[in-house]
Amino acid sequence: MKLPVIKHLTQFIEENDEDYVLETIETLEQLTEVPSLKDEELDVIGELISNMYGAVEVQKMIKDGTPKKEALNTFMSRVLGSIDK
């Protein structure tokens, strides 16, 4: 996951609507079913999906009253904490 991408997507959700991102996730998930995709292509799609889910999670924290910067830091701390385990 990349924090700059998640920040950008969070801003997009704030300016538009979360549904755009959720529909894009669904579309990308459907693309992973294409049998001719190479592993590298699947990795890129997976990275995009995970960044989008991350932005949705950050946006939920912001809606619940967490300041944006704190929400981003909390989310990334959780991600890094789960990687270390």
Side-chain angles (χ1 to χ4, degrees), residues 42-57:
L42 286 171
D43 289 344
V44 170
I45 292 171
E47 182 70 18
L48 289 169
I49 291 170
S50 65
N51 283 314
M52 288 180 186
Y53 273 126
V56 170
E57 286 298 313

Side-chain angles (χ1 to χ4, degrees), residues 24-77:
T24 302
I25 290 169
E26 289 178 31
T27 303
L28 290 171
E29 287 174 341
Q30 285 296 316
L31 279 175
T32 64
E33 301 299 322
V34 175
S36 61
L37 284 178
K38 297 175 185 166
D39 288 342
E40 298 85 26
E41 294 166 328
L42 286 171
D43 289 344
V44 170
I45 292 171
E47 182 70 18
L48 289 169
I49 291 170
S50 65
N51 283 314
M52 288 180 186
Y53 273 126
V56 170
E57 286 298 313
V58 169
Q59 187 61 33
K60 285 180 186 174
M61 285 188 264
I62 293 169
K63 280 183 185 178
D64 291 340
T66 306
K68 185 176 183 176
K69 184 175 181 177
E70 184 180 331
L72 287 162
N73 288 334
T74 299
F75 178 77
M76 289 309 291
S77 293

